Amino acid sequence: TPPLARLKAVNDWFHGGPAPKFWRVRPGVPATSMWWVPPRAFADSRRIAGHWQKEVNASAFAYRGETYDVVVKALNEGHTRHGQDLRSRAAVLFEILYLEVLRGEPGVPELYGGWRTEHGLVWVVQHAGEIVGQGKDRAGRLSTLSDAYQQACRDRPLDIARAWFRCFQSIVEGGFVLTDFKIDQFAFDGDRLCEDIFLVDGPSPNTGLLVDFLRDSYAADDPLLRTGHPEGLERRRENPYLDTLLRDFRPGRGGEHTRCAGNFTGAPELSRCISNRCGAFDGRVHVWDAAAREWLLPRVAALSASKAAADALRAMIKRMLAPDPEKRSTFPELLEELT
């Protein structure tokens, strides 16, 4: 199925249409089918996270003689009618579309499918392992890392660095950006021998196929929406998808100004204000992030049992923190350097 057709099918399902036929997990299929898995296959599940609006459960299903560990997520639409709840619904849509449009890319969990219930939406994704760690980026305070991840950093630091670079390359080349950058958004499966680190929460769509699709689908290019016109403001209040699209950063074009240099911890170009709008940027903002976040490359280098690997990573970090983004390496260049 072509990518644009997949996006349309998933978007239609989210708004009440049938589950896409290309999904492995969907309702309305025989229990004896070897090609599809019905929702009742996930009756045995274990809650691992969530709150009153969104629930996250660990489960598994059998397919063609193999068992797949999965995460079953549920959105309770009975609580998604106003304000912040509507924006949460938009975030769920963007997460599911992120999984679909980047299907098969390194660092992106596989989306198996989903179904609707009387309470809302359920979608099933690959279980990508334990979260890398917990904590916040604060001066003088280190995040707590999972045991498996720490051991991998000691034993295979360059493999871990490659896994991070592959994950970020998928995000950047897919037209996404992380506007809420946290350690617990990433997962690592120690049993996979460092093959991938996964981004388990959806990033913000910013450029490319998905943004073009969303802007066409929700008429986000209407000039009224970017002015103080009452009609435009009312449409933004009523449509969380519009509001989120217009609030997010726009690589190469800048975005609506939402924060200032004094309280922003990302790359320098993200705190640039031009006529009360954020300055233009590209995927190298996440090159900075990979080098600046204490729980990312700096911790890999600190934990490395190999002095040669640690020295190589520290030299790479120094270059990745160049204030001028033009002087930073891209993720493909960084991966080439580690081959």
Side-chain angles (χ1 to χ4, degrees):
T1 305
L4 190 59
R6 296 205 318 267
L7 290 179
K8 185 178 185 308
V10 173
N11 188 63
D12 290 346
W13 168 78
F14 189 86
H15 292 292
K21 292 183 178 180
F22 50 82
W23 276 358
R24 185 177 295 178
V25 173
R26 61 184 176 88
V29 296
T32 56
S33 172
M34 289 293 291
W35 288 97
W36 308 109
V37 181
R40 58 181 172 275
F42 306 97
D44 183 15
S45 62
R46 173 177 55 87
R47 185 183 176 94
I48 56 176
H51 47 75
W52 56 269
Q53 184 182 343
K54 184 178 177 182
E55 186 174 328
V56 182
N57 296 290
S59 187
F61 72 88
Y63 179 74
R64 289 192 161 184
E66 293 189 36
T67 299
Y68 294 79
D69 292 324
V70 298
V71 173
V72 182
K73 299 184 178 184
L75 175 70
N76 186 342
E77 293 184 297
H79 297 285
T80 55
R81 300 305 177 200
H82 302 287
Q84 181 62 41
D85 298 336
L86 283 172
R87 286 192 289 276
S88 296
R89 179 175 166 81
V92 167
L93 172 62
F94 295 157
E95 175 183 331
I96 296 172
L97 291 175
Y98 145 71
L99 295 170
E100 189 60 63
V101 77
L102 293 189
R103 179 181 292 278
E105 294 298 324
V108 180
E110 182 175 355
L111 172 65
Y112 292 113
W115 63 91
R116 303 187 70 86
T117 71
E118 61 179 321
H119 302 294
L121 297 171
V122 180
W123 64 106
V124 180
V125 300
Q126 170 189 353
H127 195 308
E130 286 186 86
I131 59 170
V132 167
Q134 294 180 317
K136 297 182 178 180
D137 288 307
R138 292 176 179 170
R141 297 185 63 179
L142 296 180
S143 301
T144 302
L145 304 179
S146 74
D147 292 341
Y149 179 74
Q150 289 189 77
Q151 190 61 51
C153 288
R154 294 187 188 99
D155 297 342
R156 303 183 295 279
L158 298 185
D159 286 343
I160 288 290
R162 292 185 192 99
W164 279 115
F165 294 160
R166 285 194 299 270
C167 180
F168 286 125
Q169 183 178 349
S170 295
I171 296 166
V172 168
E173 293 186 353
F176 294 88
V177 68
L178 282 164
T179 53
D180 185 21
F181 204 112
K182 297 183 295 186
I183 187 173
D184 58 8
Q185 293 176 309
F186 297 92
F188 169 75
D189 188 344
D191 294 333
R192 295 171 63 92
L193 298 178
C194 305
E195 181 180 346
D196 282 307
I197 288 171
F198 293 88
L199 175 62
V200 295
D201 285 342
S204 297
N206 283 269
T207 61
L209 176 66
L210 180 54
V211 162
D212 291 342
F213 169 77
L214 289 169
R215 295 177 75 84
D216 289 344
S217 299
Y218 298 104
D221 284 323
D222 188 333
L224 277 180
L225 300 172
R226 291 190 177 274
T227 70
H229 192 283
E231 181 184 337
L233 293 175
E234 181 64 20
R235 284 171 58 191
R236 287 182 67 156
R237 278 193 295 269
E238 293 179 351
N239 192 322
Y241 316 108
L242 276 177
D243 197 52
T244 302
L245 281 169
L246 294 168
R247 284 176 182 272
D248 283 347
F249 294 118
R250 298 277 165 244
R253 292 184 288 170
E256 292 194 0
H257 180 70
T258 57
R259 59 190 94 190
C260 299
N263 55 15
F264 190 71
T265 59
E269 60 267 32
L270 289 183
S271 60
R272 223 175 268 144
C273 301
I274 304 171
S275 299
N276 203 38
R277 293 174 68 82
C278 300
F281 66 93
D282 63 20
R284 280 171 287 195
V285 295
H286 290 327
V287 172
W288 172 283
D289 284 319
R293 308 282 174 169
E294 58 84 12
W295 47 270
L296 233 150
L297 283 194
R299 192 78 76 88
V300 178
L303 289 170
S304 172
S306 165
K307 183 178 183 303
D311 289 345
L313 288 175
R314 291 190 177 106
M316 185 177 281
I317 288 169
K318 185 175 181 179
R319 296 194 306 275
M320 293 166 68
L321 291 174
D324 182 356
E326 295 293 330
K327 295 182 179 179
R328 289 180 218 145
S329 299
T330 63
F331 287 113
E333 291 169 343
L334 292 168
L335 281 167
E336 179 66 25
E337 189 174 337
L338 288 180
T339 56

